[in-house]
Amino acid sequence: MKKNNTLEEIAAGLLRSNTVLLFPHISMDGDAMGSSAALCAALRKAGKTAHVVVEEALPDMVAFLDKGYCTENPGLSARPDACVCVDCGEYRRFPKRKELFCSGALTVCIDHHKTTVPFLDLNRIDGNAAATAEIVYDLIPLLGVEIDAEIGTALYAGIVTDTGKFQYSNTSQKTHLIAAKLHAIGVPAAEISIMLYQNERMEKRRLESRILGDAELFAGGRAVISCITRKILEETGGRLDETDGVTEALRDIRGVELACLLKEKADRTIKVSLRSKRDFDVAAFSEENGGGGHARAAGFTAKGRSVEEVKALLMRELAERLP
Ligand code: 5GP
Ligand code: MN
């Protein structure tokens, strides 16, 4: 049985390593990218060779945080000294990079998903952290590195996105104190918001309007569901990696406790995104279906069924289970 480690143990493991590779989860969000970019910058400042290894193109929303950290192939001549999965805690969240990850002499997990269990040599999983960026904020000084504006920008982006702009119940006093400290060192908060939220492609807006227009209420108006098929992507010109914020828009409807967005990733491979407002534990429901996440934001992938089939099954199951 692997255990949770202290941040000091994580820092010591990283400081013993010369080459460190960081592995954020697929469908990268602001926290996965922000935490990885911040840790990568800090490790480089500490004199390490560090890269963020990715297996997909960077989503538009987070691309501005990549200041030369991300690569699909780090091109190392020897096996990495340490491999760290960031904002995720299972191989399924970085499937094409699993082999490279496991080649690390030391493997480390830094995550805040409550569905993650310690599974590597060193693990720091803190389900109370609003974002993985909060954990990285505490870790960086233990590497002997000062947080500068560039590192701070990446951390701030992670915190803003995972707290829904400081709105969700994961937002704590500590979250605000970290944000205040980041302001104090000159992190450009308003500019980060523009990059994250006021920089959308028109096609994304057309896709969103289609998703909202097609949405169906069920369970007496306590739940809502909408689907993105490949046909809808073609018609709107939108992309599957630019649907951030849409499940939240569905959740925000009055009376809705639970929002579901189905995304047809490939034929009979459907990504399900779930959001809840108050009581329904979407992490537990997603875990039962092979996924995971947080109590109010989680997801899983359904294979072997069409969008319509997954939709019908979900509506039946969730209508029964909604309190
Ligand atoms: P999203 O709906 O935005 O893709 O994901 C919401 C949250 O649930 C994120 O924190 C994300 O990391 C997590 N999540 C989404 N899909 C999965 C999954 O298949 N497995 C696990 N473990 N977490 C997921
Ligand atoms: Mn996160």
Side-chain angles (χ1 to χ4, degrees):
M1 177 67 178
K2 306 279 185 183
K3 64 170 185 139
N4 219 353
N5 295 93
T6 62
L7 277 181
E8 285 75 11
E9 288 168 328
I10 304 283
L14 294 176
L15 287 172
R16 274 198 309 273
S17 310
N18 287 317
T19 50
V20 183
L21 300 182
L22 307 173
F23 294 71
H25 60 73
I26 47 170
S27 306
M28 230 198 287
D29 56 21
D31 190 31
M33 178 69 196
S35 308
S36 302
L39 188 52
C40 188
L43 287 164
R44 287 182 182 178
K45 265 183 127 177
K48 312 294 178 186
T49 297
H51 301 282
V52 178
V53 186
V54 298
E55 61 185 68
E56 304 166 319
L58 297 185
D60 276 359
M61 184 186 184
V62 300
F64 76 100
L65 297 170
D66 180 19
K67 305 262 195 259
Y69 308 124
C70 294
T71 174
E72 291 206 18
N73 176 8
L76 299 176
S77 52
R79 74 197 278 232
D81 296 320
C83 287
V84 188
C85 63
V86 181
D87 198 37
C88 57
E90 50 181 328
Y91 299 123
R92 266 180 301 184
R93 300 290 281 151
F94 46 97
K96 294 184 190 153
R97 291 163 288 166
K98 179 179 172 185
E99 200 179 327
L100 176 60
F101 182 88
C102 293
S103 74
L106 176 74
T107 57
V108 184
C109 172
I110 302 177
D111 191 16
H112 71 131
H113 289 92
K114 67 171 192 168
T115 48
T116 297
V117 286
F119 74 123
L120 299 174
D121 298 331
L122 292 174
N123 306 276
R124 183 65 194 166
I125 301 151
D126 179 0
N128 292 320
T132 298
E134 282 193 8
I135 306 172
V136 174
Y137 176 89
D138 286 336
L139 174 63
I140 288 174
L142 302 178
L143 299 172
V145 172
E146 208 176 317
I147 295 178
D148 57 22
E150 186 175 317
I151 296 174
T153 294
L155 293 173
Y156 191 86
I159 290 171
V160 172
T161 47
D162 261 27
T163 58
K165 307 170 192 160
F166 303 99
Q167 292 179 76
Y168 301 147
S169 56
N170 59 354
T171 310
S172 66
Q173 187 184 18
K174 178 170 177 174
T175 312
H176 285 291
L177 287 170
I178 294 175
K181 292 238 174 76
L182 295 177
H183 266 274
I185 60 164
V187 163
E191 186 57 31
I192 294 170
S193 294
I194 292 172
M195 295 308 287
L196 288 171
Y197 299 114
Q198 299 173 22
N199 193 26
E200 311 280 31
R201 293 196 314 137
M202 187 62 199
E203 292 83 351
K204 176 182 170 177
R205 283 288 187 253
R206 291 205 196 292
L207 173 61
E208 276 178 11
S209 95
R210 181 71 184 268
I211 297 166
L212 296 176
D214 288 354
E216 285 174 51
L217 292 170
F218 66 104
R222 295 182 39 79
V224 62
I225 193 163
S226 194
C227 305
I228 309 175
T229 58
R230 317 256 240 143
K231 184 161 171 279
I232 291 178
L233 292 178
E234 256 167 50
E235 286 168 8
T236 58
R239 296 193 308 251
L240 269 192
D241 71 353
E242 54 183 6
T243 55
D244 53 275
V246 196
T247 327
E248 287 80 2
L250 293 169
R251 175 207 58 207
D252 294 349
I253 296 165
R254 183 182 297 176
V256 164
E257 274 299 324
L258 173 68
C260 322
L261 182 65
L262 274 51
K263 304 170 204 171
E264 188 181 22
K265 289 198 100 165
D267 190 36
R268 298 187 165 259
T269 301
I270 317 299
K271 176 76 217 261
V272 179
S273 277
L274 299 171
R275 299 290 184 273
S276 66
K277 204 173 270 171
R278 292 191 186 89
D279 299 322
F280 192 84
D281 188 342
V282 290
F285 183 80
S286 297
E287 206 172 17
E288 284 173 33
N289 288 282
H294 306 292
R296 305 285 159 257
F300 63 93
T301 300
K303 289 201 172 148
R305 289 198 168 88
S306 70
V307 181
E308 286 306 320
E309 285 164 349
V310 175
K311 180 182 167 193
L313 276 172
L314 268 180
M315 287 173 78
R316 194 173 336 128
E317 172 90 14
L318 289 169
E320 267 173 28
R321 294 184 43 163
L322 260 181

mmCIF file of all heavy atoms in Angstrom, residues 219-242:
data_model
loop_
_atom_site.group_PDB
_atom_site.id
_atom_site.type_symbol
_atom_site.label_atom_id
_atom_site.label_comp_id
_atom_site.label_asym_id
_atom_site.label_seq_id
_atom_site.Cartn_x
_atom_site.Cartn_y
_atom_site.Cartn_z
ATOM 1 N N ALA A 219 -35.548 14.993 -15.160
ATOM 2 C CA ALA A 219 -35.703 14.838 -13.699
ATOM 3 C C ALA A 219 -36.456 16.044 -13.114
ATOM 4 O O ALA A 219 -36.040 16.606 -12.086
ATOM 5 C CB ALA A 219 -34.333 14.663 -13.033
ATOM 6 N N GLY A 220 -37.516 16.423 -13.770
ATOM 7 C CA GLY A 220 -38.353 17.515 -13.268
ATOM 8 C C GLY A 220 -37.628 18.856 -13.234
ATOM 9 O O GLY A 220 -37.921 19.706 -12.399
ATOM 10 N N GLY A 221 -36.651 19.020 -14.149
ATOM 11 C CA GLY A 221 -35.939 20.297 -14.212
ATOM 12 C C GLY A 221 -34.751 20.371 -13.267
ATOM 13 O O GLY A 221 -34.081 21.400 -13.177
ATOM 14 N N ARG A 222 -34.471 19.238 -12.569
ATOM 15 C CA ARG A 222 -33.324 19.249 -11.651
ATOM 16 C C ARG A 222 -32.032 18.844 -12.344
ATOM 17 O O ARG A 222 -30.950 18.938 -11.771
ATOM 18 C CB ARG A 222 -33.602 18.335 -10.446
ATOM 19 C CG ARG A 222 -34.775 18.927 -9.655
ATOM 20 C CD ARG A 222 -35.153 18.187 -8.420
ATOM 21 N NE ARG A 222 -34.078 17.640 -7.613
ATOM 22 C CZ ARG A 222 -33.318 18.330 -6.760
ATOM 23 N NH1 ARG A 222 -33.480 19.615 -6.641
ATOM 24 N NH2 ARG A 222 -32.409 17.716 -6.047
ATOM 25 N N ALA A 223 -32.148 18.387 -13.594
ATOM 26 C CA ALA A 223 -30.948 18.018 -14.343
ATOM 27 C C ALA A 223 -31.099 18.483 -15.784
ATOM 28 O O ALA A 223 -32.210 18.717 -16.270
ATOM 29 C CB ALA A 223 -30.746 16.507 -14.288
ATOM 30 N N VAL A 224 -29.945 18.619 -16.446
ATOM 31 C CA VAL A 224 -29.950 19.075 -17.840
ATOM 32 C C VAL A 224 -28.874 18.302 -18.589
ATOM 33 O O VAL A 224 -27.852 17.914 -18.014
ATOM 34 C CB VAL A 224 -29.719 20.611 -17.906
ATOM 35 C CG1 VAL A 224 -28.364 21.001 -17.340
ATOM 36 C CG2 VAL A 224 -29.876 21.139 -19.329
ATOM 37 N N ILE A 225 -29.140 18.043 -19.865
ATOM 38 C CA ILE A 225 -28.177 17.277 -20.658
ATOM 39 C C ILE A 225 -28.093 17.860 -22.055
ATOM 40 O O ILE A 225 -29.084 18.371 -22.585
ATOM 41 C CB ILE A 225 -28.585 15.778 -20.687
ATOM 42 C CG1 ILE A 225 -27.449 14.902 -21.230
ATOM 43 C CG2 ILE A 225 -29.881 15.550 -21.467
ATOM 44 C CD1 ILE A 225 -27.621 13.410 -20.902
ATOM 45 N N SER A 226 -26.878 17.830 -22.640
ATOM 46 C CA SER A 226 -26.724 18.231 -24.031
ATOM 47 C C SER A 226 -25.563 17.430 -24.621
ATOM 48 O O SER A 226 -24.731 16.907 -23.874
ATOM 49 C CB SER A 226 -26.459 19.737 -24.138
ATOM 50 O OG SER A 226 -26.635 20.160 -25.469
ATOM 51 N N CYS A 227 -25.553 17.302 -25.935
ATOM 52 C CA CYS A 227 -24.541 16.456 -26.592
ATOM 53 C C CYS A 227 -23.813 17.222 -27.685
ATOM 54 O O CYS A 227 -24.419 18.004 -28.414
ATOM 55 C CB CYS A 227 -25.212 15.251 -27.252
ATOM 56 S SG CYS A 227 -26.213 14.283 -26.134
ATOM 57 N N ILE A 228 -22.519 16.953 -27.802
ATOM 58 C CA ILE A 228 -21.754 17.463 -28.940
ATOM 59 C C ILE A 228 -21.396 16.278 -29.816
ATOM 60 O O ILE A 228 -20.606 15.424 -29.414
ATOM 61 C CB ILE A 228 -20.443 18.134 -28.499
ATOM 62 C CG1 ILE A 228 -20.705 19.164 -27.412
ATOM 63 C CG2 ILE A 228 -19.757 18.777 -29.688
ATOM 64 C CD1 ILE A 228 -19.425 19.773 -26.862
ATOM 65 N N THR A 229 -21.998 16.218 -30.985
ATOM 66 C CA THR A 229 -21.665 15.153 -31.921
ATOM 67 C C THR A 229 -20.639 15.692 -32.918
ATOM 68 O O THR A 229 -20.401 16.894 -32.996
ATOM 69 C CB THR A 229 -22.915 14.732 -32.707
ATOM 70 O OG1 THR A 229 -23.417 15.896 -33.375
ATOM 71 C CG2 THR A 229 -23.992 14.174 -31.786
ATOM 72 N N ARG A 230 -20.052 14.802 -33.685
ATOM 73 C CA ARG A 230 -19.092 15.239 -34.707
ATOM 74 C C ARG A 230 -19.795 16.123 -35.725
ATOM 75 O O ARG A 230 -19.180 17.032 -36.287
ATOM 76 C CB ARG A 230 -18.495 14.031 -35.389
ATOM 77 C CG ARG A 230 -18.149 12.972 -34.356
ATOM 78 C CD ARG A 230 -16.729 12.877 -34.065
ATOM 79 N NE ARG A 230 -16.357 11.531 -34.396
ATOM 80 C CZ ARG A 230 -15.214 11.204 -34.945
ATOM 81 N NH1 ARG A 230 -14.331 12.126 -35.193
ATOM 82 N NH2 ARG A 230 -14.957 9.962 -35.219
ATOM 83 N N LYS A 231 -21.084 15.821 -35.969
ATOM 84 C CA LYS A 231 -21.853 16.608 -36.937
ATOM 85 C C LYS A 231 -21.981 18.059 -36.440
ATOM 86 O O LYS A 231 -21.788 19.005 -37.218
ATOM 87 C CB LYS A 231 -23.241 15.961 -37.072
ATOM 88 C CG LYS A 231 -24.123 16.593 -38.099
ATOM 89 C CD LYS A 231 -25.255 15.622 -38.490
ATOM 90 C CE LYS A 231 -26.298 16.304 -39.357
ATOM 91 N NZ LYS A 231 -27.250 17.091 -38.583
ATOM 92 N N ILE A 232 -22.242 18.211 -35.161
ATOM 93 C CA ILE A 232 -22.376 19.572 -34.611
ATOM 94 C C ILE A 232 -21.044 20.315 -34.715
ATOM 95 O O ILE A 232 -21.000 21.502 -35.028
ATOM 96 C CB ILE A 232 -22.882 19.509 -33.144
ATOM 97 C CG1 ILE A 232 -24.335 19.029 -33.130
ATOM 98 C CG2 ILE A 232 -22.736 20.854 -32.449
ATOM 99 C CD1 ILE A 232 -24.940 18.873 -31.739
ATOM 100 N N LEU A 233 -19.945 19.594 -34.476
ATOM 101 C CA LEU A 233 -18.627 20.236 -34.600
ATOM 102 C C LEU A 233 -18.412 20.721 -36.028
ATOM 103 O O LEU A 233 -17.947 21.838 -36.256
ATOM 104 C CB LEU A 233 -17.508 19.260 -34.209
ATOM 105 C CG LEU A 233 -17.439 18.867 -32.737
ATOM 106 C CD1 LEU A 233 -16.319 17.868 -32.508
ATOM 107 C CD2 LEU A 233 -17.228 20.092 -31.852
ATOM 108 N N GLU A 234 -18.779 19.867 -36.979
ATOM 109 C CA GLU A 234 -18.629 20.256 -38.390
ATOM 110 C C GLU A 234 -19.475 21.473 -38.717
ATOM 111 O O GLU A 234 -19.008 22.409 -39.366
ATOM 112 C CB GLU A 234 -19.109 19.110 -39.289
ATOM 113 C CG GLU A 234 -17.992 18.337 -39.932
ATOM 114 C CD GLU A 234 -18.524 17.052 -40.535
ATOM 115 O OE1 GLU A 234 -19.526 17.125 -41.275
ATOM 116 O OE2 GLU A 234 -17.961 15.983 -40.218
ATOM 117 N N GLU A 235 -20.704 21.465 -38.252
ATOM 118 C CA GLU A 235 -21.629 22.552 -38.607
ATOM 119 C C GLU A 235 -21.238 23.891 -37.983
ATOM 120 O O GLU A 235 -21.458 24.936 -38.571
ATOM 121 C CB GLU A 235 -23.053 22.178 -38.176
ATOM 122 C CG GLU A 235 -23.651 21.119 -39.099
ATOM 123 C CD GLU A 235 -24.934 20.507 -38.548
ATOM 124 O OE1 GLU A 235 -25.456 21.011 -37.522
ATOM 125 O OE2 GLU A 235 -25.401 19.527 -39.142
ATOM 126 N N THR A 236 -20.678 23.829 -36.776
ATOM 127 C CA THR A 236 -20.359 25.091 -36.084
ATOM 128 C C THR A 236 -18.907 25.514 -36.285
ATOM 129 O O THR A 236 -18.566 26.672 -36.058
ATOM 130 C CB THR A 236 -20.587 24.952 -34.569
ATOM 131 O OG1 THR A 236 -19.774 23.873 -34.089
ATOM 132 C CG2 THR A 236 -22.048 24.684 -34.258
ATOM 133 N N GLY A 237 -18.039 24.562 -36.674
ATOM 134 C CA GLY A 237 -16.614 24.874 -36.778
ATOM 135 C C GLY A 237 -15.921 24.859 -35.424
ATOM 136 O O GLY A 237 -14.748 25.206 -35.306
ATOM 137 N N GLY A 238 -16.671 24.461 -34.368
ATOM 138 C CA GLY A 238 -16.077 24.392 -33.025
ATOM 139 C C GLY A 238 -15.223 23.143 -32.860
ATOM 140 O O GLY A 238 -15.261 22.238 -33.698
ATOM 141 N N ARG A 239 -14.433 23.108 -31.798
ATOM 142 C CA ARG A 239 -13.572 21.954 -31.540
ATOM 143 C C ARG A 239 -13.877 21.387 -30.158
ATOM 144 O O ARG A 239 -14.300 22.114 -29.260
ATOM 145 C CB ARG A 239 -12.091 22.368 -31.582
ATOM 146 C CG ARG A 239 -11.610 22.849 -32.929
ATOM 147 C CD ARG A 239 -10.090 22.923 -32.934
ATOM 148 N NE ARG A 239 -9.584 23.695 -31.809
ATOM 149 C CZ ARG A 239 -9.037 24.905 -31.906
ATOM 150 N NH1 ARG A 239 -8.901 25.478 -33.080
ATOM 151 N NH2 ARG A 239 -8.606 25.531 -30.836
ATOM 152 N N LEU A 240 -13.597 20.089 -30.004
ATOM 153 C CA LEU A 240 -13.885 19.450 -28.710
ATOM 154 C C LEU A 240 -13.017 19.988 -27.574
ATOM 155 O O LEU A 240 -13.381 19.897 -26.424
ATOM 156 C CB LEU A 240 -13.662 17.936 -28.813
ATOM 157 C CG LEU A 240 -14.857 17.080 -29.213
ATOM 158 C CD1 LEU A 240 -14.530 15.629 -28.965
ATOM 159 C CD2 LEU A 240 -16.118 17.483 -28.460
ATOM 160 N N ASP A 241 -11.866 20.552 -27.911
ATOM 161 C CA ASP A 241 -10.986 21.046 -26.838
ATOM 162 C C ASP A 241 -11.332 22.479 -26.431
ATOM 163 O O ASP A 241 -10.619 23.096 -25.655
ATOM 164 C CB ASP A 241 -9.514 20.934 -27.247
ATOM 165 C CG ASP A 241 -9.130 21.935 -28.323
ATOM 166 O OD1 ASP A 241 -10.024 22.638 -28.849
ATOM 167 O OD2 ASP A 241 -7.937 22.019 -28.655
ATOM 168 N N GLU A 242 -12.432 22.997 -26.964
ATOM 169 C CA GLU A 242 -12.792 24.358 -26.547
ATOM 170 C C GLU A 242 -14.223 24.399 -26.013
ATOM 171 O O GLU A 242 -15.007 25.280 -26.360
ATOM 172 C CB GLU A 242 -12.566 25.377 -27.679
ATOM 173 C CG GLU A 242 -13.247 25.051 -28.967
ATOM 174 C CD GLU A 242 -12.926 26.047 -30.073
ATOM 175 O OE1 GLU A 242 -12.073 26.940 -29.888
ATOM 176 O OE2 GLU A 242 -13.534 25.927 -31.132
#
